[in-house]
Amino acid sequence: MQMKFVIFDIVQSSSHEYIVNRLNPSFLNKRINKQNMASTGLLVISNFKQTPQTLKAIEKYVHSLYVHINVPGSATPVPSWGRFISQLYVDGATLLTSCEKLNMNILVGPLKQQGTFDSLRLKPIDMIFSDARCTEVCEQLRQQLQIEKPPIYLADDVVVTDLCEHQQSKPLDKLQVYENVVLGGTFDRIHLGHKIFLTQAVLRACRRLVVGVTTQKMTKSKILNELILPVEQRISELHDPYGPTNSDPNMDMIVVSSETLRGGEKINEIRAKNNLKLLDIYCIDLVENSDRKGPKESKISSSNARIDLLGTRLRQPEYHKNLPSEIYIIGLTGNIASGKSKMTQRFQSLGATVMDCDKIAHEIYEPGQVCYDKIIQHFGRSILDNGRIDRPKLGAIVFSNPKELERLNDIVWPELLKEVKRRIQGLPIIPGEIKIVILEAAVLLKAGWDKEVHEVWSMLVPLDEAIRRVVARNNLTETAARDRLASQLTNKELVARSHVVFSSQWEPEFTQKQAEKAWNMLKEELQQKQLQTKHNL
């Protein structure tokens, strides 16, 4: 199944925010939870030229903002406001210094329903702001939305509007509305581009909007696809892999971006073969990304949002009462050739105490050590070279035979964990300080050691890149490299069990920035924890 579809009755949901809430509830819930202690505002815009000053004036007062465009009473086609709304979103993201906190949504419903808010599903609104003294409109909104506080007029002497100057002046056939509109995308972590995309579709639909959301089969080639939210979190469960686009005779128009235009044309080719009327295609431009740091795309995209997640906390660590309070242990893991050792070195340079489980394992393989005799007893003396265990010879046996690998793990892992614990217990402690230990361990999750660390940090690289690195570094064939990687956890499994993830697939400087971001986050959290502990004493 490549795509799942959700259908919206546009009469009841003529606001892109309602659609966003259905498409990505976990993301919006996170936003809403962050705003519980902050105000939600409604901004009435009558003067586009005043928008920069208006947004800057109110951003410090609200964390969530609805925008109502106070359109003059003339009967103009609703799509004529499309460019204005898109520009308003772009300006808002550019102007607001706290845009990471402020969730701005422009209301389309009142444009289509002549100012009524009855069918919109809005969060409770605390204040109304207006960039002009349009008393009648603001008081009407205040009564409709049951807002106690009086409106705040930001420009008390302004009573005119310049909105008509900013409508799109296109031929009426280009501003047409349709009974049924369809669009598709990944819709992973709703961003500015999604809001514009959905808004343009809502503006042009007068009865039904069908949104297709890609499933895992279509997202495998995307950047950091392991971090894409499950489709079940992005939409409710549906069952038609192609949706109505190739069979529904009532479809009228499809909204695409310049990047997906070919997909819209392909749908029309399928419809032509099925003797169905062709869809009108409305193509919107991609929104440029002003933040071009590192490997980010030039457009605003979900891929960029996933890149921003690297080095941040994906989930809060669980409390393990068996762990020491004066030592904070990070389990750093990842598959072969993912860049664990280089990342460990980065954290060491930032001030961490590091322990390399692979090197410790080397030591307990040595003659006279606890694992040596057990390994020889099971695998035979053919794996020896000058009396020592030859790890490449042993690796050739275990990585081609899962049962032999399991037996080796049963011998080594318990003894390795004992030695690691012994060394951690022997670390010098400075009173009043928390020592951060980075425990580099490829086997961390498979061995079940996630209960032995405060949190798990993981390294990711795409499978093809990992194979390329293993072939070059270990002088193995591609088949042998695939066999080794097949015995390890997938990137999705790593993400599901990690609190922080990194990726070394780009330039080393960008990997360094990921490390610094995570390190600074952890240091700040531990300092806050210490202050709280002192406060409670």
Side-chain angles (χ1 to χ4, degrees):
M1 186 175 292
Q2 296 181 340
M3 186 171 281
K4 298 185 180 181
F5 286 78
V6 59
I7 299 172
F8 300 94
D9 181 344
I10 207 65
V11 175
Q12 295 181 2
S13 59
S14 51
S15 160
H16 86 270
E17 192 198 27
Y18 168 66
I19 296 172
V20 167
N21 194 36
R22 280 286 307 279
L23 286 174
N24 202 337
S26 65
F27 183 78
L28 268 198
N29 287 341
K30 181 180 177 184
R31 287 280 196 181
I32 292 169
N33 288 338
K34 286 171 69 176
Q35 295 159 6
N36 276 341
M37 297 193 302
S39 297
T40 299
L42 172 65
L43 171 62
V44 179
I45 285 187
S46 301
N47 295 281
F48 181 72
K49 292 176 183 176
Q50 297 296 320
T51 300
Q53 299 95 309
T54 300
L55 291 175
K56 292 298 288 183
I58 67 174
E59 67 168 325
K60 58 186 175 182
Y61 297 108
V62 294
H63 280 189
S64 183
L65 181 66
Y66 293 109
V67 176
H68 169 54
I69 302 171
N70 187 28
V71 177
S74 57
T76 55
V78 174
S80 65
W81 297 101
R83 180 176 296 172
F84 172 80
I85 291 173
S86 297
Q87 190 61 49
L88 196 55
Y89 269 126
V90 172
D91 288 350
T94 304
L95 292 165
L96 298 175
T97 57
S98 61
C99 61
E100 195 62 32
K101 296 180 181 178
L102 195 148
N103 181 27
M104 187 174 83
N105 293 291
I106 299 169
L107 300 175
V108 177
L111 288 176
K112 306 183 75 169
Q113 300 171 35
Q114 298 182 341
T116 179
F117 282 69
D118 295 339
S119 64
L120 293 182
R121 306 184 183 192
L122 308 180
K123 298 191 293 289
I125 294 174
D126 302 300
M127 330 178 168
I128 293 179
F129 301 89
S130 177
D131 64 0
R133 191 163 186 81
C134 42
T135 312
E136 184 177 343
V137 172
C138 291
E139 286 299 331
Q140 182 182 353
L141 290 174
R142 183 185 173 197
Q143 292 178 18
Q144 267 189 314
L145 299 172
Q146 299 179 348
I147 301 170
E148 293 183 7
K149 299 175 182 176
I152 297 175
Y153 299 103
L154 301 169
D156 203 45
D157 56 337
V158 177
V159 293
V160 297
T161 175
D162 68 358
L163 293 184
C164 289
E165 301 173 23
H166 300 281
Q167 283 183 278
Q168 283 179 261
S169 55
K170 287 187 176 182
L172 288 179
D173 63 332
K174 298 295 184 182
L175 300 174
Q176 184 178 347
V177 294
Y178 300 81
E179 287 281 305
N180 304 282
V181 173
V182 63
L183 74 161
T186 304
F187 297 108
D188 178 43
R189 297 176 174 85
I190 296 298
H191 55 66
L192 172 66
H194 290 141
K195 290 183 179 183
I196 292 174
F197 195 37
L198 290 165
T199 297
Q200 297 300 332
V202 171
L203 286 171
R204 286 163 176 79
C206 57
R207 187 176 72 85
R208 186 175 62 151
L209 176 63
V210 180
V211 181
V213 182
T214 54
T215 58
Q216 186 177 358
K217 187 173 181 180
M218 291 183 69
T219 59
K220 289 181 178 178
S221 62
K222 289 188 173 289
I223 294 172
L224 296 172
N225 62 82
E226 303 88 357
L227 293 174
I228 295 175
L229 294 171
V231 68
E232 290 77 15
Q233 285 185 247
R234 292 180 274 139
I235 59 169
S236 53
E237 192 73 36
L238 298 167
H239 301 286
D240 186 351
Y242 296 105
T245 55
N246 67 342
S247 60
D248 189 340
N250 296 317
M251 281 288 130
D252 303 308
M253 193 260 269
I254 184 169
V255 177
V256 299
S257 69
S258 54
E259 194 176 56
T260 59
L261 176 60
R262 178 61 191 127
E265 294 169 343
K266 182 66 177 175
I267 286 171
N268 268 345
E269 292 171 13
I270 296 172
R271 290 179 69 87
K273 290 178 182 177
N274 292 340
N275 295 317
L276 297 172
K277 70 176 181 181
L278 301 187
L279 304 178
D280 283 356
I281 298 176
Y282 181 76
C283 182
I284 67 170
D285 293 329
L286 297 172
V287 182
E288 286 192 19
N289 177 34
S290 58
D291 179 9
R292 295 296 307 277
K293 296 174 184 176
K296 289 188 176 181
E297 297 176 327
S298 59
K299 61 173 184 174
I300 289 178
S301 68
S302 295
S303 295
N304 288 346
R306 291 191 295 277
I307 289 172
D308 284 336
L309 290 176
L310 298 173
T312 68
R313 197 177 295 296
L314 301 181
R315 56 185 59 84
Q316 289 300 315
E318 304 80 12
Y319 173 69
H320 300 306
K321 62 181 179 181
N322 60 304
L323 297 177
S325 58
E326 68 278 5
I327 299 176
Y328 199 86
I329 309 168
I330 303 290
L332 180 64
T333 191
N335 289 332
I336 185 172
S338 61
K340 296 184 298 297
S341 297
K342 289 279 181 65
M343 187 58 91
T344 299
Q345 292 171 12
R346 290 184 173 95
F347 287 124
Q348 187 172 28
S349 68
L350 290 169
T353 298
V354 303
M355 291 189 183
D356 184 341
C357 284
D358 193 48
K359 291 180 179 178
I360 298 173
H362 273 257
E363 296 174 20
I364 64 175
Y365 274 41
E366 288 294 305
Q369 295 297 316
V370 64
C371 290
Y372 181 85
D373 290 335
K374 292 180 181 179
I375 293 173
I376 301 304
Q377 184 179 356
H378 180 78
F379 291 98
R381 303 190 67 82
S382 63
I383 63 170
L384 296 180
D385 183 13
N386 293 326
R388 290 182 168 174
I389 294 173
D390 187 316
R391 289 169 63 90
K393 287 181 181 178
L394 181 58
I397 296 171
V398 299
F399 287 118
S400 60
N401 188 327
K403 288 187 177 179
E404 293 292 9
L405 179 59
E406 184 178 352
R407 179 59 187 139
L408 178 64
N409 292 339
D410 289 342
I411 294 171
V412 176
W413 286 354
E415 300 301 333
L416 180 56
L417 181 58
K418 286 180 187 177
E419 179 61 19
V420 167
K421 285 183 173 182
R422 186 189 68 79
R423 296 190 183 195
I424 290 176
Q425 289 170 0
L427 291 173
I429 302 299
I430 300 175
E433 291 188 11
I434 299 178
K435 182 182 288 293
I436 300 175
V437 173
I438 300 292
L439 181 66
E440 181 190 339
V443 303
L444 185 87
L445 295 175
K446 276 205 161 186
W449 294 356
D450 44 336
K451 301 294 190 297
E452 305 295 337
V453 297
H454 289 86
E455 53 184 297
V456 176
W457 293 4
S458 293
M459 296 294 300
L460 308 175
V461 289
L463 179 60
D464 289 344
E465 174 64 11
I467 291 170
R468 186 192 67 77
R469 292 182 184 183
V470 172
V471 168
R473 187 187 72 181
N474 296 47
N475 197 26
L476 297 176
T477 65
E478 183 176 325
T479 300
R482 286 187 181 276
D483 287 343
R484 291 205 173 190
L485 285 159
S487 70
Q488 302 186 337
L489 296 176
T490 65
N491 281 348
K492 269 200 170 293
E493 289 171 322
L494 286 171
V495 169
R497 299 175 65 181
S498 300
H499 302 95
V500 177
V501 297
F502 311 96
S503 182
S504 63
Q505 62 183 292
W506 298 289
E507 294 297 319
E509 293 79 9
F510 186 66
T511 313
Q512 176 68 28
K513 288 180 180 178
Q514 297 171 47
E516 292 170 357
K517 186 195 296 185
W519 179 260
N520 293 335
M521 172 193 71
L522 180 62
K523 291 286 287 184
E524 183 177 343
E525 289 178 353
L526 293 179
Q527 287 172 3
Q528 291 296 324
K529 181 180 177 182
Q530 285 180 299
L531 289 173
Q532 186 64 42
T533 301
K534 290 179 181 178
H535 177 74
N536 293 336
L537 291 177

